[in-house]
Amino acid sequence: MRYLLIDRIRSLEPPETATAVKCVSLSDDVFEHHFPGQPVMPGALILEALAQTGGVLIEATMRQRGHDGLHAILTMVDRAKFRRVVSPGDQLILEARNLKTTEDGGQVKGHARVEGALVAEAELTYAFVKVTNPVLLARRREVLDVWLRGSLQP
């Protein structure tokens, strides 16, 4: 994945919720062109950060159910609303609440907040893809371990 948009997972409580954080920095590549003199985090990247948070939640839910090696692929975004600009220096708090998870995929409701104020929300739907390549599985586990460092392991 080129854009890992989560800095840390603060809590992971499958099958219910996950909370993550993204510290928005002027050094993030996107701000070179979006927009010079007026840096704004693109809404698509806020949605991707929410999608990564929700994906971690539903993957962990399936691991609890004995299904390992599943990767959540975002398939649909519904009811997306952007309420406020996110700029460098902001700490984006990403919350995902599980709406449903089955062997085929799942759905979460995501909220993004800065200093308690809602900046974006959406319903996100995923399909599962079975990953069998040991290199990809190890890389996925490494990323999850970094995100969870300091938190309880799932």
Side-chain angles (χ1 to χ4, degrees):
M1 181 183 311
R2 182 171 180 194
Y3 291 103
L4 295 175
L5 293 174
I6 297 172
D7 292 325
R8 178 69 48 104
I9 296 173
R10 286 188 171 171
S11 69
L12 179 56
E13 301 171 13
E16 300 299 324
T17 64
T19 303
V21 63
K22 164 68 177 152
C23 296
V24 181
S25 172
L26 189 55
S27 66
D28 291 343
D29 291 342
V30 69
F31 294 123
E32 181 179 351
H33 301 289
H34 201 271
F35 298 101
Q38 181 76 28
V40 174
M41 186 171 186
L45 294 183
I46 296 170
L47 286 178
E48 177 62 24
L50 282 171
Q52 290 175 17
T53 305
V56 167
L57 174 61
I58 64 170
E59 287 173 14
T61 299
M62 291 307 290
R63 277 194 306 279
Q64 269 191 346
R65 296 177 184 171
H67 300 280
D68 290 329
L70 296 178
H71 182 74
I73 304 293
L74 183 66
T75 59
M76 191 171 7
V77 176
D78 283 321
R79 296 179 179 85
K81 295 180 184 173
F82 301 96
R83 307 206 179 264
R84 181 186 111 126
V85 169
V86 176
S87 302
D90 287 340
Q91 186 178 69
L92 196 58
I93 305 299
L94 306 152
E95 303 163 346
R97 179 162 301 282
N98 193 345
L99 298 176
K100 71 176 180 177
T101 302
T102 69
E103 277 111 32
D104 295 325
Q107 187 175 36
V108 302
K109 176 72 176 180
H111 294 92
R113 292 183 168 78
V114 172
E115 296 181 359
L118 185 64
V119 297
E121 62 185 306
E123 289 182 9
L124 307 163
T125 303
Y126 305 81
F128 286 124
V129 173
K130 181 74 173 165
V131 178
T132 56
N133 181 313
V135 174
L136 294 177
L137 288 169
R139 175 64 178 138
R140 187 82 177 144
R141 185 71 216 172
E142 177 187 355
V143 169
L144 189 58
D145 287 345
V146 168
W147 282 343
L148 287 167
R149 186 179 48 232
S151 301
L152 295 175
Q153 294 292 331

